[in-house]
Amino acid sequence: MIAGILLAGGRGERVNSKVPKQFMKLGDKYLFEYPLESFRMSNIFEHIVLVVPKDWIDFVKVRTPSDIHVIVGGDTRSESVRNALDFLEKFKPDFVVIHDASRPFLKLSLLRRIVKSVLEKGAVTAALSCADTMVEFENFVYVDRERYVRIQTPQAFRFDIIKKAHEKRKNWRDDTQPVVECGFSVEFVKGDPFCFKVTYEEDIELARVIAYRWHMIFEEDASLSKNLLQR
Ligand code: CTP
Ligand code: MG
């Protein structure tokens, strides 16, 4: 059984808006509803957990289908993940896919690539190569961009691996970090530029442009990637 965790428990401080970015309107939907729809449309998950800040629970519950488990997040991303893992324990999932709700444009092809890979490898993340010249800016050192990848979400793990990795209760940047610290290897799966993280104010503008055409982009991708994961 595969479970999905959608993280919307942050405050979105870098966007500088009154409401957390995941609850901003993008076209006709709230930002968090985009990846939630991708999760639901994929038919991959037996359980979907949506993690939100305590004071947004009511707002989210009235807008969310009743089969989605809406739970309260923690002070950090890692805590929010742990809350979701603890919640899921009773359902005994075999695998879990974790995704930032602040990455609204999640194609089914990417989800399918991630799931296909985790079934075999046990720990995977979406990642993109670096196209721009990379410089360590303090000393203007030009680094070899071929040696770096940019890690995105979704990330997916065998449930026992991610539970064990989170035992230390530290605060990590993402969920591959504790898994690697625990000695497991993490497989890279080709990410997607559409799956960027809305982080700063200007990202909202870009997201609004994509939102306008998202329905078509999503549908076309879904039909092209139909055969990627035969279930
Ligand atoms: N997140 C979470 N719980 C937290 C912090 C973050 O569930 N306590 C989620 C965010 O909602 C987001 C994802 O983790 O979907 C990635 O975090 P980020 O993009 O950094 O979002 P925020 O922490 O909300 O933004 P900022 O760092 O600018 O405050
Ligand atoms: Mg943050």
Side-chain angles (χ1 to χ4, degrees):
M1 187 269 270
I2 307 174
I5 298 174
L6 195 57
L7 294 171
R11 291 276 155 209
E13 278 162 10
R14 286 169 289 176
V15 162
N16 254 332
S17 80
K18 279 198 211 101
V19 297
K21 57 194 176 187
Q22 62 272 33
F23 305 122
M24 290 173 85
K25 215 60 191 280
L26 274 191
D28 58 353
K29 285 195 289 246
Y30 291 97
L31 196 149
F32 79 94
E33 293 179 299
Y34 286 81
L36 181 60
E37 201 165 299
S38 302
F39 264 35
R40 296 189 79 231
M41 301 279 281
S42 73
N43 286 325
I44 286 170
F45 305 112
E46 208 156 299
H47 292 280
I48 295 176
V49 182
L50 176 58
V51 189
V52 303
K54 197 164 181 246
D55 44 334
W56 286 86
I57 285 271
D58 295 339
F59 174 91
V60 170
K61 275 196 170 160
V62 296
R63 285 169 178 81
T64 308
S66 56
D67 60 321
I68 307 295
H69 307 284
V70 182
I71 69 161
V72 177
D75 289 340
T76 62
R77 186 187 183 282
S78 300
E79 262 184 55
S80 291
V81 172
R82 275 194 294 273
N83 288 0
L85 295 175
D86 290 347
F87 174 84
L88 279 170
E89 189 126 50
K90 57 178 172 288
F91 299 114
K92 301 195 184 330
D94 302 301
F95 295 92
V96 67
V97 175
I98 303 174
H99 183 62
D100 295 332
S102 55
R103 300 177 186 271
F105 305 115
L106 173 59
K107 289 181 189 162
L108 290 195
S109 57
L110 176 54
L111 251 184
R112 289 166 175 160
R113 280 200 295 282
I114 287 284
V115 168
K116 192 176 165 122
S117 178
V118 78
L119 298 177
E120 205 183 307
K121 307 284 182 182
V124 303
T125 181
L128 284 176
S129 57
C130 305
D132 299 319
T133 300
M134 304 270 290
V135 175
E136 192 269 286
F137 64 85
E138 268 180 17
N139 302 305
F140 243 88
V141 177
Y142 289 77
V143 300
D144 235 346
R145 68 172 174 234
E146 288 78 19
R147 299 187 58 232
Y148 294 86
V149 291
R150 295 183 288 142
I151 288 192
Q152 299 185 304
T153 71
Q155 305 186 331
F157 308 94
R158 238 173 52 205
F159 195 71
D160 59 324
I161 291 180
I162 190 69
K163 273 297 274 185
K164 184 171 171 23
H166 268 274
E167 267 167 17
K168 273 196 190 138
R169 313 192 77 80
K170 274 176 27 190
N171 189 23
W172 293 282
R173 286 172 189 277
D174 76 337
D175 297 291
T176 62
Q177 208 180 350
V179 166
V180 170
E181 274 182 27
C182 244
F184 296 102
S185 63
V186 175
E187 182 83 0
F188 295 123
V189 170
K190 190 172 184 292
D192 179 13
F194 277 97
C195 198
F196 70 96
K197 185 153 69 93
V198 172
T199 306
Y200 302 107
E201 220 166 323
E202 55 268 35
D203 298 328
I204 297 283
E205 211 177 314
L206 179 59
R208 292 219 157 101
V209 173
I210 297 172
Y212 189 68
R213 285 184 54 93
W214 179 240
H215 184 69
M216 270 184 295
I217 296 167
F218 180 86
E219 289 295 331
E220 193 182 340
D221 168 78
S223 82
L224 284 175
S225 66
K226 246 193 338 255
N227 299 330
L228 205 65
L229 197 66
Q230 302 284 11
R231 288 172 59 81

